[in-house]
Amino acid sequence: MGIFFTIGFRSLIKHKTHSLILGSAIISVTILLIIITNVTSGIQDTMMKGSTTLFSGHVNITGFFKTSTSSAAPVITDLARLRKLAREIVPEATFIVDRVNGFGKIISDQSSMQIPMMGIDVEEEAPILKDLSVAAGNISDLSKKNGLIIFEAQAKKLKVAVGDRVTVSMPTYRNMYNTMDVNVVAIVRDMGYLSNFSAFLNKDDIRELYQMKEDSSGRVMIFLPNYKTVAAVESRVRSGIEKAGFRLMDKDPQPFFMKFDKVAAEGWTGQKIDITNWEDEVSIMKWIITLFNVLTGMLTMILLTIVSLGLMNMLWITIKERTGEIGTMRAIGMQRRSLVILFIIEPFILSSLSTIIGIVIGLLISAGLNAMHIIIADSALRTFLMSDTLLLSTSFSQIIITFIAITTFTTVGAIIPAWRAGKLSPVIAMSTID
Amino acid sequence: MIIIKMALRNLFSHKMKTLIVGTVLILGSFFAVVGVTFVFAISEGMKNSLTHSITGDLQIYSKLAKDKFSIFGDENGSYPDIDYVENFATIKNILEKEVSNIEAIVPMGGNFAMVNPGNILDKKLEELRQCFKEKIFDAAKILELKEHVHAIILDIEAQFFNNTASIVSVSAEDSAKVRADLDTARAESFWKDFDAKFERKIEFLSNKIAPLIFDDNVLYVSYMGTIPETFARSFSQFEIVKGTNIPPGHRGMVLTDRFYEEEVKHRVARRLDKIKRSLLEDHETIKGSKTLQDKITSNISQSAEVYNQLTPKRAEEIVVKLQAFLSSKESDIKKLLEDFLKVDDANFISRYDFFYSEIAPYIVLYKVKVGEVFPITTFSKYGTSHSLNIKVYGTYRFKSFERSPIATGFNLIDLMSFRDLFGLLTPERKKENSEMEAEMALEDVSISDMFKKSDSKKESEGASLSKLKSTVFTSGFKEDFASQGDKVFSNADLENGIFLNAAILLKNPAKMAATMRAIDSVSEKEKLNIQVIDWKNAAGIIGQLILFIRVLLFSFIGIVFGVSIFIIMNAFIMAMLERYKEIGTMRAIGAQKQFVLSMLFFEVLIQSVFFACLGILLSWLVIVIVGGRGIPAWNDIATFFFSGSRLYLFFDWWYAAGVLLLAVIVSAIAGLYPAYQATKIPPVSALGKTH
Amino acid sequence: MNHFFVVILFLMAANLYALTEAETSAIIKTVDDLQRNSGDYTSLCYIKDTEKGKEPRLNQALVYRRDTDNKFMILFTKPKEDAGKGYLKIDKNLWNYEPSTGKWDRKTERERIGGTNSRRGDFDESKLSEEFTAVYDGDEKLGDYDAYKFTLAGKNGVDVPYPVLKLWVDKASKNILKREEYSLSKKLMRTSFYPKWMKKFSPSKKSDVWIPEEIRIFDELEKGNTTIILIKEVDLNTLPENMFTKAWVESKSK
């Protein structure tokens, strides 16, 4: 086998021009695909990081409490027991915290907006909140009562700065509005689209606004050391919670605010627990990733098909040109099969080398783009990429897949010409030598 | 002729090579045509679903706007503060006179409102009140309703103390009050003289007991204030589905049919309608569609919405009917309904009909019905509210966009009511304002003059209490409020007032940029103080999304194009290079440069034309068959992009011709340049080694 | 050397006229006392709210107070659109009534009364000495009036809409002439002028009650916006017992 590689290699070097042209085609396509998949990965990472900082854990114990058959509140009761269960079922969890869901109006002196807000315990959440990049103020000040943390975009709209007072207004269980004046204790840098709809209040304050009992909350968020284990942990939590006697809702991979309508109309009352993961909570944004993946997939297929054809064509011509060479080789005793293998290995070497070079260059470019922290100027793009700066992240599995796909495709294209080459009879082949 | 024959023969003799190049050509031209048709359909579709329904081609609004205009609201979900423009009639007349491309100007203004249609107890109490007001006393019906109300009260009691108290910290005071009210409502003494004192009794129940039901009944309505006839006339796709449009001069609302069917209609009924549509229009089956199965599951779990709305008497009757229909001995209405709602392909139609004939008339099929009047409340920036009683005259939709979520977002309200709800000064309020100004008799004093000691004592004794004592508090407030809806106003009132923004429809949309410039200069000249933006900017985030998708898809196509061209060129170059020897031979036997070039030219021409046409034919087939039937949208996001439930593709001959031309040109350049080089080589060297 | 002494003497002399801490608190307390009534209070007010470049919006309202009990109520009477809307302070809570929905919503101190730039504090009892600590800032002349200038800081734990105030108090009458209201971050939010005061004899207090006839408020965040409160008529007679209740407010719009 080794000899084939040597021969193949030498041959490539000999036919420099052909190798270069085809090689550069493969390299360019590879670079393009690597960069695109890195951008998609970047978006996925941003989404995960964003959602797990802003409103979800890797796995969530959440649910609805129905006070009547026609209402639904995103509340879980028996909080202490649920947190204890979470600790027991997922001992490997890095953190477990709980937050209260809220939705209401923030009224400043010059403007107002209606957004979802979360009641948090700043001290407990310190490790999660460190992912927030503070533009002004002090996040830990939220531990004092009557504080509010907002994002830059919201601060801009409300025209407030740290230290300013705003009124928070929320509808309580009787559809009556309850209000509280709070101070802006910190302004945090935007995290793309997701942060437009987030703000943080002190957990006790939000409980007071909603007149909620101490033992109730919105969701228990479980953070895992490795987010790839989400699926397994989720099923453990489901069975664990169910065994402990809680009623479970059927799995519905949607964010909680999309479930209100459905749950409100169901005929049960009391508490039901809903186990979700971070992907469910951002599922409305997932379409962007799906779109990118689908487009990339299609692009890959089409490009590779076209490149394969080109390769086939080139190989055909190459073989024609090297008919003499082939004849000679057959004449000195090389078997047909060996010839075919040789003519497959050559393009294989070319494409795998080109792919590797392409991957390396692609990764270098990605790293370079990342380091430049390119700020996305267009707000539409910013919204969809969910970040203010262009982020590319590499997924090792993606690279392997890309490598295998490109190399396979291009090599497959070589099979027919190679097979035809094998068919050539030595005599005729040699006759073309002059 | 000979040349062509030779060209053809050459192509045939190198079959494999021809085929390979041909395949690249086919694929390249196929993707070029299909790809661009697809992208074009999506972006045109999204554009039309906006310009033909809501945004028009252009939007104008006040130059003094604090925020950027976005018809769907800004990124935070609230409406931007765009100030307002004083007089629609003035603006309209000037613009129509001075800018020629304008087809129509439609005034608009967007806002959100809350509508509380009342919970089940409210509705039943209202029915009860109506019964008592009827001339003929229907004792049976009254008894039926009273029984239902009683049952609801018992439910409320259970829910409040068992459930609510678990999550909410109800103060002891509140709890005691609720307990007392509920006891009153259940007491025998309360019901004994009910008929005699029905007004007071119903009011007690409605004020004290009904609010105890925690209901998710509040509808969030986004609406647009406009001149209903102008709107209907200017947007050609507009059509009334149920009821009528708002009659000229009257206050009222017209809901989008989608909103009416999706949010206002009873959930179970709505799902049954959707299943029916999928089965009959989209030819799907319950067995083969998970979406439909999910809908059925939801219906079953939400059957409470049906039986909770039936009066006890009616429930009994339906039990009997269901037992007969399902051949079941089950006597519990809940279980019967769950069974009934477990539909499949075989029994769906008959059960659908049964539902609408036997069950639907007795439940609250629509939270707000066409023809009904209901109160609508909006909240201003700082939380002050404005309310109005509005009649729903009907529902509307835009033909061909009826399933698009974008085009169905705006319920229409007459501009007069819009102004009221927005807190703008109405003529009545302006009149009251001037009365109050007169009463105030305020001096106009500048800050510097404020603290000048003058003759008039700064420290007075205050006016006499004449006004205070005579301030008759308008107890007729509620009647006033109710009668607002009946007042008729003139077209002049409508047009001579404030509007927030207006859609401009152009005669020739292609001249958009020039028209925008014209409007700007007219605004400058006549001091109209308006600014104009195109539909894409007006659509805010949606417009940006459309742009983003367009760019993404076109880049995608562009990459495919680019690579295809590269490969085609490569293929032709290689093919030509390979034939140096052949060319040399021909030249050696005496063929002229011209002859050889022409032959090669025809080869390239035939090859590119033939295969590109094949590719185009293939794309035509795909577009006509798949695109003609329509690509179905598989979820809401897809529905949004497809501007409906299906995306239709249209084959554009001109475009195809363009692709063909491009393919030929690319091939020609790729093939003929090396060919030209080849003919330059002296035959002798060509006959030698081929490398 | 001589210069130095002159300067010292001058400063000492100036100091002689400065107010001590005790004197400052006393003056602020007087400002409050002048406006307090030991009985009930009813007034007919007009509020004119003008946004820059727009037509003004006017309201007429009845303001009720029972200072001994810390009770406070506003009932809007004009225009028809707003008639029946009301504010009621119960303990520390400010409730707002909306006749069209029949609902009571809880509001805070920062609530814009009727959507205007006025606050509850503009209509209610003056409690500066309870809610703020005052520091004397020197004297200043306001037009033809000599005024003391004070800087007030909200006391800890007290809920006030503007935590920092600057007050100009007329030396002669001890009534407020001008008031600047700041946020904690020292941003100037509102400037109010009190150009006219009226006094009414209160039988229960056995002395005069001072009421600002006009309060002219200038929005410092949205320059050009003004709100003018005009207190037209004041009645200090006793009010019915059950007035300051939610039921009473609701009954007004039935």
Side-chain angles (χ1 to χ4, degrees):
Chain A
M1 212 43 166
I3 195 102
F4 287 126
F5 275 92
T6 325
I7 300 177
F9 210 70
R10 289 236 184 96
S11 191
L12 281 173
I13 296 182
K14 188 152 162 274
H15 303 107
K16 268 200 225 66
T17 337
H18 292 172
S19 310
L20 272 169
I21 294 180
L22 211 54
S24 27
I26 299 176
I27 292 178
S28 322
V29 170
T30 312
I31 294 178
L32 188 68
L33 291 175
I34 291 287
I35 294 186
I36 294 180
T37 48
N38 280 356
V39 169
T40 315
S41 273
I43 298 177
Q44 185 135 7
D45 272 2
T46 312
M47 235 191 240
M48 201 231 7
K49 221 181 246 144
S51 65
T52 51
T53 309
L54 294 175
F55 50 76
S56 172
H58 291 122
V59 176
N60 304 307
I61 301 176
T62 175
F64 287 90
F65 190 96
K66 285 171 65 75
T67 54
S68 69
T69 48
S70 47
S71 65
V75 170
I76 49 175
T77 51
D78 216 352
L79 177 68
R81 198 159 150 240
L82 284 172
R83 283 189 67 143
K84 183 155 162 289
L85 278 169
R87 263 275 150 236
E88 287 168 10
I89 301 173
V90 194
E92 74 267 30
T94 42
F95 324 106
I96 297 182
V97 298
D98 75 279
R99 290 188 183 175
V100 179
N101 299 323
F103 183 81
K105 220 174 182 175
I106 302 182
I107 307 168
S108 74
D109 287 295
Q110 290 169 280
S111 184
S112 65
M113 58 173 42
Q114 252 183 316
I115 53 170
M117 293 178 251
M118 292 209 117
I120 64 176
D121 179 340
V122 176
E123 281 151 7
E124 190 182 54
E125 298 215 12
I128 303 166
L129 298 174
K130 71 170 171 19
D131 279 333
L132 294 175
S133 166
V134 180
N138 216 328
I139 293 189
S140 51
D141 283 342
L142 196 67
S143 54
K144 293 181 247 169
K145 288 209 85 212
N146 298 107
L148 174 72
I149 297 178
I150 52 176
F151 289 85
E152 275 178 320
Q154 292 143 358
K156 205 166 93 153
K157 175 147 206 281
L158 294 169
K159 298 205 181 92
V160 293
V162 173
D164 286 340
R165 253 186 142 185
V166 295
T167 307
V168 171
S169 167
M170 290 183 170
T172 67
Y173 70 99
R174 290 222 206 176
N175 254 328
M176 172 200 83
Y177 278 82
N178 207 359
T179 50
M180 182 187 280
D181 284 342
V182 293
N183 294 314
V184 177
V185 300
I187 298 178
V188 176
R189 277 188 235 282
D190 290 329
M191 290 177 81
Y193 192 64
L194 292 175
S195 67
N196 277 350
F197 301 97
S198 287
F200 297 105
L201 286 171
N202 180 307
K203 211 193 280 184
D204 294 325
D205 285 340
I206 208 175
R207 277 214 181 96
E208 199 184 301
L209 273 167
Y210 275 118
Q211 297 179 289
M212 276 172 77
K213 285 198 151 142
E214 271 283 320
D215 203 29
S216 35
S217 184
R219 56 184 49 210
V220 173
M221 294 161 46
I222 303 173
F223 290 87
L224 306 169
N226 175 10
Y227 79 88
K228 302 263 167 69
T229 59
V230 163
V233 173
E234 201 185 324
S235 58
R236 264 162 54 205
V237 173
R238 284 192 81 87
S239 49
I241 297 285
E242 200 163 13
K243 270 203 205 89
F246 289 91
R247 287 189 294 176
L248 275 189
M249 285 171 60
D250 290 332
K251 171 83 178 168
D252 183 6
Q254 283 194 81
F256 80 96
F257 55 83
M258 307 261 318
K259 298 180 187 172
F260 274 118
D261 195 52
K262 202 176 72 140
V263 178
E266 288 175 8
W268 51 275
T269 56
Q271 176 80 64
K272 266 201 187 173
I273 301 290
D274 189 19
I275 310 292
T276 65
N277 61 49
W278 70 271
E279 282 188 313
D280 300 334
E281 300 292 339
V282 287
S283 58
I284 44 168
M285 299 305 286
K286 289 275 294 295
W287 65 266
I288 295 180
I289 297 201
T290 313
L291 182 70
F292 266 91
N293 280 338
V294 164
L295 284 181
T296 315
M298 282 173 62
L299 191 69
T300 314
M301 299 251 77
I302 297 173
L303 286 183
L304 288 182
T305 310
I306 295 178
V307 167
S308 274
L309 286 170
L311 192 122
M312 226 201 267
N313 185 46
M314 276 204 81
L315 204 60
W316 199 256
I317 292 163
T318 316
I319 289 172
K320 276 287 194 67
E321 288 176 357
R322 291 156 67 181
T323 315
E325 207 179 306
I326 297 169
T328 316
M329 287 198 279
R330 292 275 274 130
I332 59 173
M334 191 182 240
Q335 290 310 304
R336 255 188 223 181
R337 230 190 76 217
S338 315
L339 202 67
V340 173
I341 294 177
L342 180 66
F343 273 103
I344 291 181
I345 287 188
E346 230 186 88
F348 174 75
I349 297 176
L350 179 67
S351 54
S352 36
L353 273 179
S354 316
T355 313
I356 291 176
I357 296 177
I359 289 175
V360 169
I361 298 181
L363 289 179
L364 281 173
I365 296 181
S366 304
L369 287 174
N370 259 349
M372 294 204 307
H373 287 302
I374 300 176
I375 299 198
I376 301 172
D378 181 39
S379 65
L381 218 50
R382 212 186 356 231
T383 305
F384 301 120
L385 296 184
M386 272 175 290
S387 169
D388 293 345
T389 52
L390 190 62
L391 174 74
L392 295 101
S393 68
T394 319
S395 153
F396 195 60
S397 51
Q398 274 290 63
I399 294 185
I400 302 286
I401 295 175
T402 310
F403 175 78
I404 294 178
I406 297 179
T407 315
T408 313
F409 240 88
T410 44
T411 310
V412 160
I415 292 181
I416 300 184
W419 185 71
R420 278 309 215 88
K423 280 265 203 83
L424 281 174
S425 95
V427 175
I428 299 176
M430 285 193 67
S431 68
T432 61
I433 301 175
D434 25 40
Chain B
M1 247 352 261
I2 270 256
I3 298 181
I4 298 180
K5 274 211 188 121
M6 286 181 71
L8 277 170
R9 207 209 57 195
N10 282 340
L11 286 175
F12 271 108
S13 57
H14 303 112
K15 268 208 244 346
M16 207 51 199
K17 209 188 63 184
T18 312
L19 266 171
I20 293 178
V21 173
T23 314
V24 179
L25 273 165
I26 292 177
L27 279 179
S29 43
F30 175 77
F31 281 120
V33 177
V34 170
V36 174
T37 308
F38 186 75
V39 171
F40 195 70
I42 290 187
S43 84
E44 274 304 293
M46 287 170 101
K47 171 173 174 237
N48 286 342
S49 66
L50 285 173
T51 57
H52 291 176
S53 64
I54 294 299
T55 61
D57 295 305
L58 300 172
Q59 282 278 336
I60 52 170
Y61 60 107
S62 166
K63 231 192 172 101
L64 305 167
K66 292 204 183 97
D67 294 332
K68 220 167 74 109
F69 177 66
S70 164
I71 206 161
F72 294 105
D74 61 24
E75 298 125 15
N76 299 301
S78 45
Y79 273 96
D81 184 357
I82 54 166
D83 212 19
Y84 52 81
V85 186
E86 281 293 330
N87 195 313
F88 177 69
T90 321
I91 307 272
K92 178 172 124 147
N93 291 332
I94 294 179
L95 283 179
E96 280 183 343
K97 201 171 70 165
E98 312 236 358
V99 182
S100 54
N101 196 11
I102 293 183
E103 168 87 38
I105 308 183
V106 186
M108 296 178 171
N111 207 354
F112 284 117
M114 257 177 34
V115 174
N116 195 339
N119 56 41
I120 185 70
L121 187 54
D122 289 322
K123 291 230 183 293
K124 292 298 162 186
L125 287 173
E126 193 49 46
E127 278 180 45
L128 199 52
R129 188 184 275 129
Q130 290 298 17
C131 276
F132 278 110
K133 292 204 170 142
E134 294 281 341
K135 293 267 169 70
I136 308 164
F137 194 78
D138 185 352
K141 187 140 206 275
I142 290 182
L143 185 60
E144 186 186 337
L145 285 168
K146 276 205 254 180
E147 273 177 10
H148 198 188
V149 167
H150 203 253
I152 296 175
I153 295 174
L154 290 176
D155 262 341
I156 292 176
E157 187 163 9
Q159 283 166 8
F160 190 85
F161 288 107
N162 294 344
N163 290 324
T164 314
S166 340
I167 51 165
V168 177
S169 46
V170 186
S171 70
E173 204 189 311
D174 266 343
S175 196
K177 242 189 252 168
V178 170
R179 168 70 67 202
D181 288 335
L182 283 169
D183 285 341
T184 315
R186 270 189 304 118
E188 273 234 35
S189 50
F190 182 81
W191 292 93
K192 217 153 61 149
D193 57 350
F194 193 96
D195 290 5
K197 301 191 185 148
F198 73 89
E199 278 278 21
R200 281 249 308 273
K201 302 274 177 179
I202 292 181
E203 199 175 308
F204 171 77
L205 290 174
S206 151
N207 289 339
K208 297 284 175 197
I209 308 295
L212 295 174
I213 297 183
F214 309 133
D215 221 305
D216 271 318
N217 238 352
V218 174
L219 285 169
Y220 290 98
V221 182
S222 77
Y223 61 87
M224 183 184 291
T226 183
I227 302 178
E229 318 115 65
T230 313
F231 192 90
R233 209 180 342 121
S234 312
F235 290 105
S236 56
Q237 303 279 56
F238 178 96
E239 68 174 353
I240 292 285
V241 180
K242 302 181 174 70
T244 66
N245 197 356
I246 306 163
H250 285 263
R251 289 169 183 275
M253 264 189 108
V254 173
L255 304 174
T256 66
D257 200 56
R258 195 161 192 269
F259 179 73
Y260 195 61
E261 296 294 325
E262 297 279 329
E263 314 228 4
V264 178
K265 190 162 192 174
H266 190 281
R267 289 178 180 107
V268 170
R270 177 210 317 161
R271 284 198 200 93
L272 289 175
D273 291 342
K274 279 198 172 160
I275 297 174
K276 182 172 182 215
R277 191 157 60 181
S278 293
L279 293 181
L280 295 181
E281 282 179 29
D282 299 338
H283 306 290
E284 292 176 22
T285 59
I286 295 175
K287 194 150 169 253
S289 163
K290 183 161 188 301
T291 325
L292 293 182
Q293 287 161 19
D294 283 342
K295 287 197 167 56
I296 297 173
T297 315
S298 298
N299 264 356
I300 298 173
S301 64
Q302 291 178 18
S303 52
E305 270 221 1
V306 176
Y307 57 74
N308 274 341
Q309 292 180 358
L310 298 168
T311 63
K313 177 156 159 273
R314 197 60 67 183
E316 279 170 29
E317 289 173 12
I318 291 183
V319 162
V320 173
K321 292 208 175 114
L322 275 174
Q323 281 177 333
F325 186 79
L326 297 171
S327 311
S328 155
K329 295 243 192 321
E330 179 60 62
S331 57
D332 183 353
I333 179 113
K334 297 186 186 149
K335 292 211 179 56
L336 274 172
L337 274 172
E338 285 173 11
D339 247 334
F340 175 75
L341 290 169
K342 203 180 276 166
V343 293
D344 59 40
D345 287 304
N347 61 30
F348 181 77
I349 292 294
S350 60
R351 292 203 181 182
Y352 181 88
D353 292 337
F354 182 94
F355 179 83
Y356 271 98
S357 58
E358 306 294 344
I359 301 180
Y362 308 111
I363 57 174
V364 181
L365 196 56
Y366 292 100
K367 288 180 192 168
V368 173
K369 273 209 290 274
V370 167
E372 252 181 31
V373 176
F374 63 93
I376 184 173
T377 309
T378 55
F379 291 94
S380 77
K381 200 160 62 162
Y382 297 120
T384 50
S385 67
H386 303 271
S387 306
L388 217 50
N389 270 342
I390 287 283
K391 177 168 172 183
V392 174
Y393 277 93
T395 71
Y396 82 96
R397 69 166 168 221
F398 291 105
K399 284 183 284 229
S400 83
F401 298 132
E402 58 255 14
R403 297 211 205 170
S404 160
I406 318 181
T408 53
F410 291 97
N411 303 293
L412 303 177
I413 199 172
D414 67 277
L415 203 49
M416 296 295 281
S417 305
F418 178 85
R419 290 176 187 138
D420 285 347
L421 289 169
F422 201 72
L424 295 174
L425 295 174
T426 58
E428 288 121 33
R429 186 157 183 159
K430 285 195 195 174
K431 190 157 133 290
E432 288 185 87
N433 264 2
S434 28
E435 283 169 17
M436 280 191 270
E437 287 258 28
E439 287 166 19
M440 279 176 87
L442 205 57
E443 281 170 43
D444 210 3
V445 60
S446 68
I447 296 182
S448 46
D449 290 337
M450 247 185 247
F451 296 105
K452 283 221 162 61
K453 282 201 175 125
S454 57
D455 298 328
S456 60
K457 258 192 80 104
K458 283 287 184 199
E459 292 150 12
S460 62
E461 286 276 334
S464 72
L465 299 175
S466 52
K467 255 235 122 42
L468 195 73
K469 298 217 194 290
S470 71
T471 299
V472 175
F473 199 65
T474 52
S475 58
F477 151 76
K478 270 235 154 119
E479 279 129 46
D480 231 17
F481 180 68
S483 73
Q484 278 278 30
D486 296 335
K487 276 200 239 166
V488 180
F489 44 82
S490 69
N491 206 41
D493 287 335
L494 256 190
E495 296 217 345
N496 273 316
I498 286 165
F499 70 100
L500 296 195
N501 57 293
I504 296 190
L505 290 118
L506 302 176
K507 294 188 183 129
N508 182 0
K511 297 215 182 106
M512 201 178 284
T515 314
M516 284 173 74
R517 282 194 295 271
I519 295 176
D520 271 332
S521 63
V522 169
S523 173
E524 256 321 310
K525 196 176 78 168
E526 308 276 354
K527 301 223 191 322
L528 297 178
N529 270 325
I530 55 173
Q531 50 178 311
V532 60
I533 55 173
D534 66 24
W535 65 272
K536 219 181 316 114
N537 281 318
I541 194 96
I542 308 270
Q544 292 177 331
L545 177 65
I546 296 177
L547 187 64
F548 175 71
I549 298 296
R550 234 195 225 182
V551 166
L552 197 64
L553 292 176
F554 273 115
S555 327
F556 176 76
I557 299 287
I559 293 174
V560 175
F561 247 68
V563 174
S564 304
I565 291 179
F566 177 75
I567 297 294
I568 291 176
M569 287 197 124
N570 187 44
F572 273 106
I573 291 173
M574 298 300 317
M576 217 38 84
L577 285 176
E578 197 230 346
R579 295 169 69 188
Y580 269 19
K581 187 158 173 238
E582 198 182 314
I583 295 169
T585 314
M586 284 203 288
R587 296 266 281 129
I589 62 172
Q592 290 307 307
K593 267 197 213 163
Q594 207 46 37
F595 181 81
V596 175
L597 270 174
S598 328
M599 187 191 76
L600 292 173
F601 172 73
F602 274 109
E603 263 186 58
V604 169
L605 187 71
I606 294 170
Q607 210 172 9
S608 55
V609 168
F610 179 72
F611 286 106
C613 279
L614 260 184
I616 291 174
L617 186 71
L618 202 64
S619 63
W620 178 83
L621 270 171
V622 168
I623 287 174
V624 161
I625 295 179
V626 176
R629 232 187 110 209
I631 304 168
W634 57 92
N635 64 12
D636 279 340
I637 303 285
T639 312
F640 169 78
F641 285 122
F642 289 0
S643 308
S645 58
R646 294 190 107 81
L647 183 69
Y648 298 98
L649 303 175
F650 297 99
F651 190 79
D652 186 339
W653 288 107
W654 286 109
Y655 180 66
V659 169
L660 180 62
L661 194 64
L662 186 67
V664 171
I665 292 175
V666 166
S667 312
I669 297 176
L672 291 181
Y673 180 68
Y676 182 67
Q677 296 292 68
T679 55
K680 282 235 207 103
I681 300 173
V684 176
S685 46
L687 280 174
K689 285 215 168 163
T690 46
H691 299 303
Chain C
M1 250 344 220
N2 275 342
H3 286 228
F4 184 61
F5 276 124
V6 169
V7 166
I8 298 277
L9 278 173
F10 180 73
L11 285 175
M12 283 170 65
N15 259 340
L16 279 174
Y17 288 103
L19 296 175
T20 62
E21 221 180 281
E23 287 171 323
T24 305
S25 326
I27 294 183
I28 300 294
K29 192 154 187 312
T30 312
V31 168
D32 287 342
D33 285 340
L34 287 175
Q35 296 178 58
R36 183 170 302 121
N37 185 25
S38 46
D40 292 341
Y41 164 110
T42 310
S43 68
L44 181 71
C45 296
Y46 290 88
I47 311 169
K48 179 175 173 180
D49 196 67
T50 317
E51 227 181 287
K52 183 168 156 191
K54 303 263 182 319
E55 272 193 54
R57 309 172 75 87
L58 281 83
N59 281 101
Q60 185 198 64
L62 292 163
V63 178
Y64 301 94
R65 272 167 42 192
R66 186 171 281 161
D67 290 343
T68 43
D69 256 350
N70 289 326
K71 292 219 162 59
F72 170 80
M73 191 161 69
I74 302 180
L75 192 61
F76 282 90
T77 49
K78 280 191 188 173
K80 286 211 201 88
E81 193 175 283
D82 293 338
K85 295 188 184 176
Y87 288 91
L88 178 62
K89 192 168 106 171
I90 301 179
D91 300 326
K92 291 205 194 265
N93 295 321
L94 181 66
W95 294 89
N96 172 227
Y97 181 66
E98 193 50 57
S100 55
T101 54
K103 281 200 314 175
W104 284 93
D105 287 328
R106 202 165 141 270
K107 304 283 184 173
T108 67
E109 286 299 304
R110 308 178 52 173
E111 164 77 358
R112 288 169 167 256
I113 301 293
T116 66
N117 202 8
S118 61
R119 303 284 185 292
R120 178 205 61 86
D122 297 324
F123 299 92
D124 202 356
E125 202 188 329
S126 178
K127 284 189 168 160
L128 296 170
S129 49
E130 258 180 63
E131 297 170 340
F132 294 88
T133 37
V135 167
Y136 174 64
D137 251 352
D139 294 345
E140 206 173 290
K141 215 163 157 68
L142 229 58
D144 296 335
Y145 289 82
D146 287 314
Y148 293 119
K149 188 164 167 213
F150 298 103
T151 303
L152 279 73
K155 288 188 183 161
N156 253 336
V158 178
D159 190 18
V160 284
Y162 303 105
V164 177
L165 304 178
K166 284 211 211 294
L167 230 49
W168 283 256
V169 176
D170 180 24
K171 283 194 185 178
S173 64
K174 304 289 186 305
N175 279 324
I176 303 176
L177 295 176
K178 177 177 165 186
R179 179 185 186 127
E180 277 178 358
E181 289 156 315
Y182 295 82
S183 69
L184 259 180
S185 53
K186 303 291 176 11
K187 195 164 37 168
L188 179 60
M189 318 277 267
R190 293 196 321 176
T191 306
S192 312
F193 294 94
Y194 298 67
K196 277 193 191 165
W197 285 82
M198 64 167 135
K199 65 176 187 321
K200 254 192 136 59
F201 184 77
S202 161
S204 50
K205 192 180 177 189
K206 304 220 179 18
S207 64
D208 286 326
V209 172
W210 286 90
I211 301 126
E213 237 184 279
E214 281 175 25
I215 309 177
R216 293 180 182 245
I217 305 170
F218 292 83
D219 191 339
E220 299 289 349
L221 291 173
E222 307 271 2
K223 303 269 183 167
N225 291 2
T226 59
T227 308
I228 302 180
I229 303 174
L230 192 67
I231 302 182
K232 221 37 178 165
E233 298 171 15
V234 175
D235 182 358
L236 297 178
N237 289 315
T238 317
L239 295 163
E241 189 54 46
N242 74 333
M243 266 199 72
F244 295 91
T245 57
K246 282 186 179 173
W248 189 89
V249 176
E250 288 171 5
S251 68
K252 284 295 162 188
S253 42
K254 291 261 185 323

